[in-house]
Amino acid sequence: MLSPLQFALLSLVPIGIVVLYFLKLRREPVEVPSTFLWARTIEDLHVNSLLQKLRRNVLLLLQLLAVLLAVFALLRPGQRGQDADQGRIVFLLDTSASMQATDVDGDESRFEKARRMIRERIDAVSANESLMLVTFSDRPEVLQSFTTDRGRIRDALDRAEVTNHPTDVFGALKAADGLANPRRSSELGDVNDIQVADAMPADLLIYSDGRFDEVSEFDLGNLVPDYIPIGTKDVSNIAITAFSAERNVEKPSEVQAFATIVNLGTDAISSTATLSWDDDKLSRSEAFRDAETVSLEPGEQVGLTFTLESEEAVSLRLALEVDDDLVIDNVAFAGLTPMRTVSVLLVTPGNKPLELGLRTEKAAKICIPQDVLPSYLESDEYKARAEAGLDDLIIFDRCSPSRMPNTNTFFIGALPPDMTLLPEDAEEDAGDETAAAEVQESDASDTAAESATGSPEDDSDPTPQNEGWSWATDPASVVLIDMDRTHPLMRFVEVFSLLIFNGRAIDGPPGSVELIGADIGPMLTVAPRAGFQDLVLGFEIVSTDAEGNPQTNTNWFAERSWPVFVLNVLRYLAGAAESSGAPSFQPGQTVQLRLESAIVDAKFRRIGGSSQTVSTGPSGLTEIVETEEAGNYRVESEDTLADLFSVNLFARSESDIAVADDVVFGYETVEGTTGGVEKRIEYWRWLLLIMLVLLGAEWWVYSRRVA
Amino acid sequence: MPATSQATPLLSPDLLARLERLELVSRKVFRGRMKGERRSRRKGQSVEFADFRNYVPGDDLRLIDWNLYARLDQLFLKLFLEEEDLHFYSLIDASESMNFGDPTKLHVAKQLAASLGYVGLCRADRVSVAALGPQGRSAPVLRGRASLWKMFQYLESVESGSNISLYDGVKDFSIRNSGTGVAILLTDLMDKEGYESALRMLVGRRMDVFVMHILSPEEIDPPLRGDRKLIDVEDGDAAEVTINSYVLEKYKQTVQSFIGSIKTFCSRRSIVYIPVRTDTPVETIVTRYLRERGVVR
C-alpha cells in the first residue's frame, strides 16, 4: 500500500493531465466566411463549456483510464497473500532416490509434487523476498543462490532433477547454515578486524519425505525450519537390499548369486524374483536363468541363493516382478570379474616348452608374456619394474634375481634369493649370482652330459639361498608320488606319468604348501611372501648340456597336463581369475579401478548403454564418475573385457519410503506441515497490460483525429 | 474558406439560348419608365392619354410632346395607358464572405444576376445589376439585348471585399434608385448586423423582393474537426472552438434554424426566399428552381 503522501502525489497526475489538456491546446487557425453562425453555436454550448470540453472526449478519457490503471497497478492488488517472516527463503528440495516414489495423487512422483509446491510458493511470495534453491541427495547442490528474480529461481527449479542417490541432508543444511549463521562476528570500524557478513536469517523450507538419518550435530541457529513432508505413510514397496555373485573357490566354473529381499511397505506383497544374464545381446528368454517366488509380510525379509555355471565373466540381473511405489530398488545387478589379462615376465636362457605354454590359445587370452635373458636382471629397467611390481608374475627359469620382486614369482630349477641380505650385499650377490648362474649353466651342461645316467651332479653351486628356501637334497632323478589335487594350481593336472631326469627336493619357508611330492621330497612348493606368493619347482624343464646346448630334463612339456598347469599358474599365481564378485557401488559414486598395466586406454559402458573412453594412469588406476544409472558396467580394452562392476542403490533407508512425520536437526524436532500456500494472485501485470492496450487505443484515436 | 477567382464565363451559350425563352415574373404591376411588354398603370402609347414624363435618352422620339418642348423648353413624353417595361434590380452582396467556396458564392451570384438580367434584357425590361456598396455606383442601367455585353463587363469587374453591411448597401441602393420593381437580393445573409432591416427597406420601397440565399456546402456541412480557431474573413473576428461531432451537429442545427428564421421572416413579408447551393448548376437554379418559385416563367 502507498502512504498518504504517495497517494496525494499520484492523485495529482490525472488532475495534471486534465489541466494540461486544456492548456496544451494549440488551435489551428482557419478562415471561415463568417463566424456569425459559429458564434451562435458556441453561445449555446458556452453555458456548460467546461463539461462540454470533457464530454465525449475520448482521448482524455483514455489517458485518464491509463493513468488510473497504472496507479492501481502500483498498488499491486491481489488475492490474499503470505509473507515470509524472515524476508528470505531457502528451499531444500530432496532429489534422492526415494523421491521417485509414486505414492502421490495428481503428480507423477514425489519429486514432481515437491517441485510443483515450490513453484506455487514462489508465485505466492512478495516481490522483495529473496529466494534460494538447494537440492540434496547424498550431496548438496546450490541451483540458485539468493535472488529476488522469480524467473531465475523458476529456471533453476526446472533444472532440478531427481537422482538415484541415497540421502544425506547434512551438506544442504550446511549450505543454508553458511549464510544464516556466520561463525564469527566482526567489529565495524575496526581496521584490524576482517569484516564478515552479518547473519541473514532465513526460512528453511524442506520439501522431502524425511528419509534421512537424524542430523544430530547441527544447530539451526538463525534458520527457521519448516518441514513439508512429501508422500504418504501407507506405501507399497518391496526392495532388493543386497545382491552379489561369487565363484565357488572349489569349483571356479560354478557361480553362486545371493540376494536379500525385504518388504518395506505397509501391506503384504508377493512377487517373483527373476534372475537372468544381463546381456543386451540376448533375448529375454535366452537371458533367463532362474526365478523364485517370494511372499513377504510388512517388515519381513528373505534371502535367496541361485547357482549358475560359467567360467567366463558374468553379469547378472535380478528383478522383482511387482508394481510397487518405488521401482529403482526392484532391480539389482551383480557381476563376476573375468580371467584377468596378466603381464608375465619370463626370465630364461631359453625354454621353448615354457614359451609355447605361455602362448597357447587359452593362455593368450589372459596372458601377455615377455621373454628376457637372465642378463636382463642386471639392468636398471628390470630393477625398476621389479620394484614397482609392474608384472603380475615373473618366472625365473634356472636363474634368480638378487632381490625378490614385488610380485608373485615362479622359480623353475632355482631358488628365490636370500631375503635376509642387505640391498648392497644383494647386489654383490647379484654379480656373484650372475656368475653363479653361468656356472649353473655349465653345471647344467655337465648335468646334461650325465643326464642319460640321471645321476645328479655334485653341488658346487654358489647360488645364494633364501633363508626360507633351500635345497633339501642333492640333484637326483625324481619320481613324483604325491599331488595336492585340491589346490587350484593342480586343477586338471596329472603328473604321475612324468619322467624327470634330475631334480632336487625343496625346503620352503614357514607357511609353504607342498603341491607335488616326489620320492626325494617336495618337488613343487608354494609359499607366501608379504602379500605375494612364490612357487618353486625343484626340477628344470629344459637344461643345458656340456656343450651348452639345451636339452630336456623332463617330458612334462609333452604331456597334456603341461599347458593346463601353465594355465593354472596364470590363473592362480598371476591372478588371472579371482573368486570374488565384482564390486558394487552406489549411484553417483566415483569408481576407482586398477586395470592391468598392459592396458593404456579403455572403454566402459553400462550394459544397455553406450561406450565412453577412459584413460588409465601410469599404475593402471582408472576413475569412472558416470555412475548415475544402476546396472552392470563393463570396462573393455580392444574388445577384451578388462574389468566390471555394478551400481546398485542398496540403501534400506531409501527403500523404506513411508514418509516421516518429522525430522530432527540437532536438538530440534521439526514437525511436518501441510505446505499448502495461500496463493497470492497479483493482477498488476494484467493491469499494466490493459494500460498498454489503452495507450495504444489512445494513440489510434488521436491519429484518427477524433477527440 | 476563400477560393480563387473563377475564370469560367458567366453564362454558357446554351444557357443563353434557354434564357431567351424565359421572362421575369412580377407579382405586382409596377409603373415602368419605358415601353415594355407589361401592363402598367403608367400611361403608354395608346389612344388614352395618360400622362407626361421627362425624356430620357433612349426613349422613343415619336412620343415626345413637341408642344410642351416649345412652351417649356424641356422634352417630355406623352404616356398612354398601355403595357410597360419592368424594372429589374439584381443586388449582389460583394462582401468578403461571398468569396468562399468553389465556385465562390460571388461567382454564383454573378451568374444568377447575369441570367436573370439577360432574361429581362431579352424582354426589353429595364435591368439594373449592381453590387451593394461603392461598386454599385458604377452599375449601368440596361435595356435591350444589345446591352448584354455591358452587363457582363460590369459583372466581371465586381470583386469581393466591400465589407459593407446589407442594410447600408441596400440603403445606398435605395437612395440612388427611387423606382420600384423587382429586386433580387443575391447574398449569403451572413451579416452580423442582421438582414431584417435591409429586407424591410426593400419591402418598404414596394419592391417585389426575392432573396436568393447563396451558401456553399462547406458552410452547411463544414469539414472541420478538432481544436480550431475560426477567423472571420470580413472582420477578423476569432472564435475558438473544439469541433467534435456534437459541436458539428449543433452547428448544423444552428444553420437550419437560421434558414428557418429567414424563411419565416420572408414569408411574413411576401418576400420570396430561394435557398441556393453553390454546388448546384446555374441552369438548374434558373430553369427549375426559379421557375418553381415564380421568379421566371
Side-chain angles (χ1 to χ4, degrees):
Chain A
M1 293 295 291
L2 300 178
S3 66
L5 178 60
Q6 290 171 328
F7 259 118
L9 287 174
L10 278 176
S11 64
L12 290 178
V13 174
I15 296 173
I17 289 177
V18 174
V19 170
L20 286 174
Y21 182 80
F22 290 107
L23 294 178
K24 72 171 177 62
L25 287 178
R26 295 187 328 167
R27 300 180 183 276
E28 180 184 343
V30 176
E31 283 189 331
V32 293
S34 176
T35 55
F36 171 60
L37 293 177
W38 285 106
R40 278 195 179 182
T41 305
I42 294 170
E43 189 178 330
D44 291 342
L45 300 175
H46 182 71
V47 176
N48 296 312
S49 60
L50 183 63
L51 291 181
Q52 292 302 330
K53 285 183 178 179
L54 295 176
R55 181 175 175 171
R56 297 185 186 180
N57 194 322
V58 177
L59 270 180
L60 182 62
L61 181 64
L62 289 175
Q63 289 171 3
L64 287 175
L65 270 178
V67 169
L68 285 173
L69 277 173
V71 170
F72 196 39
L74 285 174
L75 299 178
R76 296 196 64 181
Q79 289 180 343
R80 293 180 283 183
Q82 191 169 7
D83 290 337
D85 295 331
Q86 310 303 323
R88 293 167 192 83
I89 300 178
V90 179
F91 294 106
L92 292 191
L93 175 57
D94 190 347
T95 57
S96 65
S98 60
M99 293 296 282
Q100 296 181 37
T102 57
D103 62 332
V104 287
D105 294 329
D107 292 283
E108 202 175 291
S109 65
R110 288 179 176 180
F111 174 77
E112 291 300 331
K113 178 178 179 179
R115 177 148 57 183
R116 177 179 58 79
M117 293 176 73
I118 292 176
R119 197 175 283 125
E120 290 173 356
R121 187 59 183 259
I122 292 171
D123 292 339
V125 297
S126 59
N128 56 352
E129 290 184 57
S130 293
L131 307 178
M132 182 177 178
L133 179 63
V134 179
T135 60
F136 68 94
S137 52
D138 59 347
R139 69 204 70 171
E141 184 178 358
V142 179
L143 288 186
Q144 179 59 55
S145 53
F146 276 116
T147 180
T148 56
D149 188 339
R150 295 292 173 272
R152 295 181 72 172
I153 200 79
R154 288 194 191 95
D155 289 343
L157 186 60
D158 291 338
R159 287 198 309 270
E161 290 181 347
V162 71
T163 67
N164 295 327
H165 302 184
T167 314
D168 182 2
V169 71
F170 185 65
L173 292 173
K174 294 289 288 181
D177 172 70
L179 191 63
N181 305 315
R183 288 291 172 260
R184 58 183 290 268
S185 59
S186 60
E187 290 289 331
L188 187 64
D190 185 353
V191 296
N192 295 320
D193 191 6
I194 298 172
Q195 300 300 306
V196 297
D198 295 331
M200 297 175 68
D203 289 316
L204 184 66
L205 305 185
I206 306 159
Y207 292 81
S208 170
D209 52 14
R211 305 310 312 174
F212 45 80
D213 296 332
E214 286 185 9
V215 185
S216 55
E217 296 179 359
F218 182 77
D219 181 20
L220 286 167
N222 290 325
L223 289 172
V224 180
D226 189 6
Y227 165 54
I228 296 99
I230 309 294
T232 62
K233 294 190 75 63
D234 293 328
V235 295
S236 170
N237 189 34
I238 183 172
I240 303 171
T241 57
F243 181 51
S244 63
E246 289 183 2
R247 288 187 188 280
N248 189 340
V249 178
E250 302 301 321
K251 291 175 64 178
S253 63
E254 185 178 283
V255 176
Q256 286 179 317
F258 308 96
T260 303
I261 299 172
V262 60
N263 182 359
L264 293 165
T266 53
D267 299 318
I269 294 182
S270 289
S271 174
T272 302
T274 304
L275 181 70
S276 56
W277 297 125
D278 190 14
D279 190 338
D280 47 4
K281 298 183 182 63
L282 298 177
S283 66
R284 189 184 172 91
S285 58
E286 290 170 340
F288 174 79
R289 290 291 96 192
D290 200 354
E292 202 162 323
T293 302
V294 293
S295 293
L296 299 172
E297 294 298 319
E300 188 181 352
Q301 77 174 39
V302 67
L304 302 178
T305 304
F306 302 91
T307 303
L308 305 162
E309 292 286 335
S310 175
E311 288 189 3
E312 306 298 328
V314 296
S315 294
L316 297 172
R317 178 177 183 274
L318 182 67
L320 296 174
E321 309 296 336
V322 67
D323 183 18
D324 56 9
D325 290 332
L326 188 65
V327 297
I328 186 176
D329 55 7
N330 293 348
V331 184
F333 302 88
L336 276 178
T337 52
M339 307 294 193
R340 289 176 56 225
T341 304
V342 296
S343 170
V344 176
L345 178 66
L346 173 60
V347 185
T348 177
N351 191 332
K352 214 57 175 175
L354 184 56
E355 293 167 13
L356 291 174
L358 292 173
R359 289 170 175 80
T360 61
E361 184 181 341
K362 274 201 170 179
K365 286 184 181 178
I366 60 175
C367 165
I368 301 176
Q370 182 183 2
D371 305 337
V372 297
L373 293 172
S375 58
Y376 179 72
L377 297 176
E378 303 305 316
S379 65
D380 293 334
E381 183 185 338
Y382 164 75
K383 291 175 184 175
R385 69 193 287 178
E387 182 68 27
L390 296 181
D391 300 294
D392 296 295
L393 174 68
I394 300 179
I395 302 176
F396 298 96
D397 179 35
R398 291 168 287 159
C399 62
S400 290
S402 58
R403 193 176 166 75
M404 288 297 280
N406 291 327
T407 187
N408 294 343
T409 60
F410 179 26
F411 288 82
I412 302 175
L415 290 176
D418 185 0
M419 293 304 297
T420 61
L421 292 176
L422 292 174
E424 51 275 22
D425 299 333
E427 289 179 0
E428 291 176 1
D429 280 352
D432 296 339
E433 199 168 289
T434 306
E438 294 174 351
V439 170
Q440 189 178 11
E441 286 181 7
S442 66
D443 286 343
S445 64
D446 295 336
T447 305
E450 299 175 358
S451 64
T453 61
S455 60
E457 196 173 339
D458 287 337
D459 180 18
S460 57
D461 186 2
T463 305
Q465 296 187 11
N466 190 317
E467 187 178 38
W469 294 93
S470 62
W471 295 118
T473 63
D474 292 330
S477 63
V478 177
V479 175
L480 301 179
I481 60 174
D482 198 8
M483 187 176 74
D484 186 357
R485 295 178 184 277
T486 64
H487 196 276
L489 278 171
M490 304 313 296
R491 187 164 164 251
F492 301 133
V493 175
E494 283 295 334
V495 297
F496 297 123
S497 60
L498 296 186
L499 291 175
I500 303 167
F501 302 110
N502 201 354
R504 290 184 182 181
I506 306 165
D507 268 340
S512 58
V513 175
E514 179 185 306
L515 299 180
I516 298 176
D519 54 347
I520 59 176
M523 198 52 55
L524 180 64
T525 303
V526 63
R529 171 179 53 88
F532 302 111
Q533 292 194 86
D534 303 315
L535 181 67
V536 177
L537 183 63
F539 59 91
E540 298 166 353
I541 307 299
V542 172
S543 56
T544 313
D545 60 16
E547 287 81 26
N549 300 319
Q551 60 179 20
T552 61
N553 189 44
T554 176
N555 67 340
W556 194 10
F557 61 89
E559 294 292 321
R560 211 179 303 175
S561 62
W562 171 245
V564 175
F565 171 73
V566 172
L567 213 56
N568 288 346
V569 168
L570 294 175
R571 284 177 175 166
Y572 179 77
L573 203 60
E578 293 183 7
S579 62
S580 61
S584 177
F585 302 91
Q586 284 190 316
Q589 272 189 294
T590 299
V591 175
Q592 287 186 330
L593 300 174
R594 185 181 176 85
L595 302 179
E596 292 72 22
S597 54
I599 297 173
V600 179
D601 288 314
K603 289 186 179 179
F604 81 95
R605 72 179 180 95
R606 175 178 171 272
I607 293 179
S610 57
S611 293
Q612 295 183 53
T613 305
V614 61
S615 58
T616 58
S619 56
L621 187 65
T622 304
E623 286 189 349
I624 298 172
V625 296
E626 291 88 349
T627 58
E628 289 295 325
E629 296 290 325
N632 281 310
Y633 287 73
R634 296 166 63 90
V635 181
E636 297 170 341
S637 174
E638 297 176 350
D639 296 329
T640 302
L641 182 64
D643 205 345
L644 60 84
F645 61 93
S646 57
V647 173
N648 295 284
L649 179 58
F650 291 166
R652 187 175 178 128
S653 60
E654 285 302 309
S655 296
D656 188 3
I657 60 174
V659 68
D661 292 327
D662 53 61
V663 293
V664 179
F665 300 132
Y667 298 102
E668 190 170 345
T669 299
V670 184
E671 298 286 337
T673 59
T674 58
V677 177
E678 281 191 344
K679 284 190 183 180
R680 177 182 173 83
I681 302 176
E682 291 187 342
Y683 300 113
W684 63 272
R685 290 182 184 86
W686 290 107
L687 292 174
L688 281 181
L689 193 62
I690 296 172
M691 187 194 81
L692 286 174
V693 171
L694 278 176
L695 283 176
E698 191 250 357
W699 172 84
W700 179 80
V701 168
Y702 178 77
S703 64
R704 288 289 299 265
R705 291 182 157 267
V706 175
Chain B
M1 57 195 73
T4 58
S5 60
Q6 303 299 315
T8 56
L10 283 175
L11 300 177
S12 64
D14 291 337
L15 179 59
L16 288 172
R18 296 176 71 178
L19 292 173
E20 290 175 0
R21 295 193 288 274
L22 299 175
E23 67 174 312
L24 296 171
V25 175
S26 173
R27 294 168 295 167
K28 300 176 181 177
V29 177
F30 295 103
R31 298 170 65 183
R33 292 185 177 177
M34 287 289 290
K35 173 175 184 262
E37 297 179 359
R38 303 174 190 280
R39 193 176 76 82
S40 169
R41 291 198 187 93
R42 296 287 293 186
K43 314 314 186 273
Q45 204 174 37
S46 67
V47 294
E48 184 179 358
F49 172 80
D51 201 347
F52 292 98
R53 69 171 174 85
N54 289 333
Y55 170 82
V56 175
D59 289 338
D60 190 351
L61 295 175
R62 293 176 295 172
L63 295 178
I64 296 176
D65 190 335
W66 297 107
N67 292 328
L68 273 178
Y69 177 70
R71 280 190 289 158
L72 300 177
D73 204 18
Q74 284 187 350
L75 293 173
F76 289 95
L77 286 181
K78 288 181 182 176
L79 299 177
F80 299 91
L81 287 175
E82 63 180 347
E83 293 180 346
E84 285 196 341
D85 60 312
L86 175 68
H87 285 188
F88 174 76
Y89 301 96
S90 284
L91 303 177
I92 300 172
D93 180 2
S95 62
E96 190 60 35
S97 65
M98 290 293 287
N99 191 22
F100 186 81
D102 186 18
T104 62
K105 291 183 287 186
L106 180 62
H107 182 74
V108 172
K110 288 180 184 179
Q111 286 181 303
L112 289 170
S115 302
L116 295 171
Y118 182 68
V119 170
L121 290 175
C122 289
R123 296 294 177 187
D125 288 330
R126 185 173 178 272
V127 173
S128 174
V129 177
L132 294 176
Q135 296 183 84
R137 293 178 188 148
S138 60
V141 178
L142 309 167
R143 189 188 294 275
R145 195 177 302 204
S147 304
L148 180 64
W149 66 273
K150 281 187 181 177
M151 182 178 65
F152 283 161
Q153 189 180 46
Y154 173 75
L155 287 173
E156 293 286 347
S157 69
V158 173
E159 293 179 351
S160 62
S162 54
N163 291 330
I164 188 172
S165 69
L166 274 174
Y167 174 76
D168 291 336
V170 169
K171 182 180 177 182
D172 181 70
F173 160 76
S174 299
I175 292 173
R176 289 183 286 107
N177 297 277
S178 59
T180 61
V182 173
I184 295 182
L185 183 61
L186 300 143
T187 176
D188 56 6
L189 295 176
M190 295 291 185
D191 193 330
K192 292 182 179 177
E193 294 182 16
Y195 56 87
E196 295 86 347
S197 302
L199 292 179
R200 284 197 193 99
M201 184 176 292
L202 288 174
V203 170
R205 292 285 312 278
R206 298 190 182 179
M207 292 276 193
D208 191 3
V209 182
F210 296 83
V211 174
M212 300 187 78
H213 189 190
I214 304 174
L215 292 174
S216 67
E218 293 83 1
E219 289 177 289
I220 299 172
D221 188 8
L224 297 174
R225 295 291 186 275
D227 304 320
R228 304 288 180 169
K229 184 177 182 180
L230 307 176
I231 301 183
D232 193 318
V233 294
E234 290 188 356
D235 56 10
D237 188 23
E240 294 183 349
V241 60
T242 298
I243 303 174
N244 51 29
S245 57
Y246 176 75
V247 173
L248 215 54
E249 197 57 39
K250 290 293 288 186
Y251 172 80
K252 291 178 186 176
Q253 291 176 7
T254 304
V255 171
Q256 296 304 317
S257 172
F258 176 63
I259 294 173
S261 66
I262 298 173
K263 283 183 182 175
T264 303
F265 179 87
C266 292
S267 68
R268 287 177 181 170
R269 289 159 182 80
S270 300
I271 300 173
V272 176
Y273 172 80
I274 304 153
V276 174
R277 287 171 62 110
T278 56
D279 57 349
T280 306
V282 174
E283 299 89 85
T284 306
I285 298 172
V286 175
T287 59
R288 199 165 91 192
Y289 294 167
L290 295 184
R291 183 177 281 183
E292 288 172 358
R293 283 169 173 74
V295 178
V296 296
R297 66 180 176 196

